[in-house]
Amino acid sequence: MKPPVFEYHRPASLTEAVDMLGGLENARLLAGGQSLMPMLAMRFAFPDHLIDLNRIPALAGIAEDGGTLRVGAMTRQRDLLDHPVVRARLPMLAEALEQVGHRQTRNRGTVGGSLCHLDPAAELVAVATALDAELEIAGPRGARTLPMAAFPLGFMTPALEPDELLTGLRFALPALPQGACFTEFARRHGDYAIVSAAAILWPRDGRIGRASITLGGVGPVPVRLEAAEAALAGQRADAESFAAAAACCGALDPMDDAQVPAWYRRRLAATLVRRALTTAWERADVR
Ligand SMILES: Cc1cc2nc3c(=O)[nH]c(=O)nc-3n(C[C@H](O)[C@H](O)[C@H](O)COP(=O)(O)OP(=O)(O)OC[C@H]3O[C@@H](n4cnc5c(N)ncnc54)[C@H](O)[C@@H]3O)c2cc1C
């Protein structure tokens, strides 16, 4: 299969990229190309202009900045996975990244490309939601920030204007002790998850102080199980409370697709939530 005809542009700075994006009709950004190139080859996308972000060094890089970890949009997924601060302070992010595609796709695929492609089952989308990441966006009207929760507008539709691009994101580094777990079910290792679950538990006085539970793959955008999060606060961390939290998945209205029916996703979600909570608590190292 061959992609449709387009004009190729290679800006050398963010300013140049923003000018091109605002000035060219029907333009598309090229990051790692791991999703866009197949989409072009299969004729799911027909841009007249392709703006390649790969020659803008300022868009890539990882830096610890106060209490946050800032990740440039063009940072390769492999570089984030291997970063010592991620391994030490945000292990759930590394756990999710290990399940994104394959070593070869992670070498090229970028963090920003995965977030903007916004596949409902993408691991990075779910984990950025669970970690309450803050996104940095640039456009002709200047820069703005957006919480990850407000980024997905609908199925594969990020809250970006046509002349805007994602420049980076920030993860808050945990200040309080916590335990976290990302788990998923996919038919084969390297496939997108059918369903994924990310859980973070903050212990307080031997009980659960606060909980964060996010599901990927059950709807067009990631789902935060807010009712279960609220119900867990102040509870004892045991099989009973985790089963009650998992039971909240019964209220989900997941999608049916060619892979699996909705009821299967709902049951899978409950199982993965229970497992993620159990492992998160084990990792919280409560004494
Ligand atoms: C065999 C294979 C298996 C895979 N398995 C998985 C998997 O299990 N889980 C998973 O999550 N992904 C998977 N992927 C997809 C992979 O993670 C991609 O890297 C990712 O979806 C897109 O990142 P990219 O950098 O390649 O972006 P590209 O493909 O270059 O771009 C993707 C989209 O994002 C837009 N975009 C890119 N950067 C920006 C930006 N800075 N601002 C605004 N818009 C932007 C592009 O215009 C395009 O629409 C797989 C891919 C392959 C080829």
Side-chain angles (χ1 to χ4, degrees), residues 21 28-39 53 59 73-74 76-77 99-102 105-106 108-119 121-125 151 158 160 164-168 184 190-193:
L21 200 52
R28 197 86 179 235
L29 296 166
L30 173 68
Q34 298 302 297
S35 295
L36 185 56
M37 294 316 291
M39 281 169 64
L53 300 177
L59 277 180
M74 285 298 291
R76 306 293 159 183
Q77 294 157 8
Q99 300 178 67
V100 176
H102 310 271
T105 64
R106 293 193 294 266
R108 286 301 301 167
T110 65
V111 175
S114 177
L115 293 178
C116 294
H117 186 61
L118 209 60
D119 189 290
E123 289 82 358
L124 268 172
V125 172
F151 191 58
L160 290 171
E164 287 184 321
L165 69 144
L166 183 72
T167 51
E184 72 174 42
D191 282 0
Y192 279 96

